[in-house]
Amino acid sequence: MTYNVWTLLQRSVLLGSLLGAIANGSLFIQPSEAGETFLSVRSSLVSPILNNSSGGSNGDSGSSESEEEDPDFSGDGRPGSQTAGDGRGACQIPVDRPLTALIPQSNWGQTTAARPTFWVYVPYSEQEMPVGEFVLQKSNREDVYRVPFTLDGTPGLVPVQLPDTAPALQPGESYRWYFKVYCSEDKTNVPLFVQGWVQRIAASKALQQELAAAGARQYQVFADRGLWYDALSHLARLQQQNPHNRRLQQAWQRLLGAQGVDLDVPPPAATLPQVVLGSDRS
């Protein structure tokens, strides 16, 4: 078998590239579940959401959004409700968008926070829904934290931050949470509510190192790891602080439109409405 000079030169360059990739650790031999081995290339690409969101007021720098893959939050579902339905006996107030919990369609997500923040889009004013209740329960429905609240400044996207007085979530445990609103101060009507699940996991040393290196783009790391509540909260806070940053706006749309999520909720305003925990007018 004979080879011309050009073919030999091409194969020499290819061999040199493979040896270099093995030496720097970007290419390695990995066994498959079936017992074979194959070459795997470590990608240097970061972020399934965006590559650079913090630079510039308009966020025009960075790589093309079309080259990035969406994060995937699909998985086994849990009983819950991403949006509030029209329950029998509940107040019927016409709205353009229903009461919505910002959670994946599986109704389940993970966090590293001991006291995470839950985000809910509330389409009602404080006059229409004068009182509400937030409930956190163990998987056996034992109450962990139950508190009344009032709304301030809604409609809009509101954060529900568990206070320091609330028990810390235990790593590995799954919890169910409810956000309920009533259209009467005496709570005689059936509430409109959304409900979801949260599981706390311990932050590994590798995750902590990734977060330290990510800087303002920590939400990318959280999204890569499937940590829904952390990715959402970090991105929402950035969006709130930089409401005109187009790349953050794109990142918000990409996160909420990710596989297994499919939400259409506007990003947080610069001044957020509030859920005043511990306040009950009844």
Side-chain angles (χ1 to χ4, degrees), residues 6-256:
W6 177 244
T7 301
L8 292 174
L9 180 59
Q10 285 180 312
R11 296 193 175 188
S12 177
V13 171
L14 177 59
L15 179 59
S17 299
L18 289 173
L19 291 175
I22 293 172
N24 64 28
S26 62
L27 185 145
F28 58 97
I29 296 177
Q30 178 176 333
S32 71
E33 293 182 358
E36 304 93 345
T37 59
F38 58 92
L39 294 179
S40 177
V41 179
R42 287 193 178 96
S43 173
S44 61
L45 295 176
V46 297
S47 173
I49 306 178
L50 60 90
N51 191 38
N52 181 10
S53 65
S54 58
S57 61
N58 292 324
D60 292 329
S61 62
S63 63
S64 171
E65 293 292 334
S66 62
E67 297 176 357
E68 296 162 0
E69 295 182 0
D70 291 339
D72 186 352
F73 291 96
S74 57
D76 295 337
R78 302 273 182 110
S81 51
Q82 199 182 46
T83 58
D86 297 327
R88 183 176 181 180
C91 292
Q92 305 299 321
I93 301 175
V95 292
D96 294 333
R97 181 181 285 109
L99 180 71
T100 303
L102 271 63
I103 53 176
Q105 292 173 325
S106 64
N107 304 313
W108 181 86
Q110 290 184 313
T111 182
T112 60
R115 296 174 180 85
T117 299
F118 304 91
W119 292 83
V120 180
Y121 180 80
V122 180
Y124 310 105
S125 69
E126 54 198 89
Q127 290 76 30
E128 292 171 323
M129 295 291 176
V131 293
E133 184 179 46
F134 181 83
V135 182
L136 184 69
Q137 295 180 334
K138 294 182 179 180
S139 56
N140 63 0
R141 293 188 177 273
E142 176 186 346
D143 276 7
V144 174
Y145 183 66
R146 181 184 291 264
V147 62
F149 65 76
T150 56
L151 301 172
D152 183 15
T154 53
L157 184 63
V158 296
V160 183
Q161 170 66 61
L162 291 183
D164 293 340
T165 54
L169 304 189
Q170 298 303 307
E173 294 291 330
S174 293
Y175 300 83
R176 186 198 299 252
W177 62 273
Y178 297 85
F179 183 95
K180 308 176 184 180
V181 287
Y182 297 82
C183 64
S184 62
E185 294 186 7
D186 57 9
K187 300 181 182 179
T188 54
N189 66 292
V190 175
L192 290 170
F193 68 93
V194 289
Q195 59 173 314
W197 289 79
V198 59
Q199 181 188 53
R200 183 187 175 192
I201 65 169
S204 66
K205 185 175 181 180
L207 175 58
Q208 294 175 22
Q209 292 173 342
E210 287 185 62
L211 292 172
R217 300 190 302 273
Q218 289 184 2
Y219 64 89
Q220 297 176 353
V221 176
F222 288 131
D224 286 339
R225 296 293 192 102
L227 297 167
W228 169 257
Y229 289 96
D230 297 350
L232 177 67
S233 291
H234 190 262
L235 183 55
R237 296 301 185 185
L238 284 178
Q239 175 68 44
Q240 181 191 2
Q241 296 164 11
N242 304 275
H244 303 298
N245 188 306
R246 285 187 293 175
R247 283 203 170 267
L248 288 177
Q249 293 169 1
Q250 292 170 357
W252 179 265
Q253 294 173 354
R254 190 178 295 271
L255 180 63
L256 268 62

Side-chain angles (χ1 to χ4, degrees), residues 264-276:
D264 179 19
V265 177
T271 302
L272 287 175
Q274 297 295 317
V275 170
V276 185

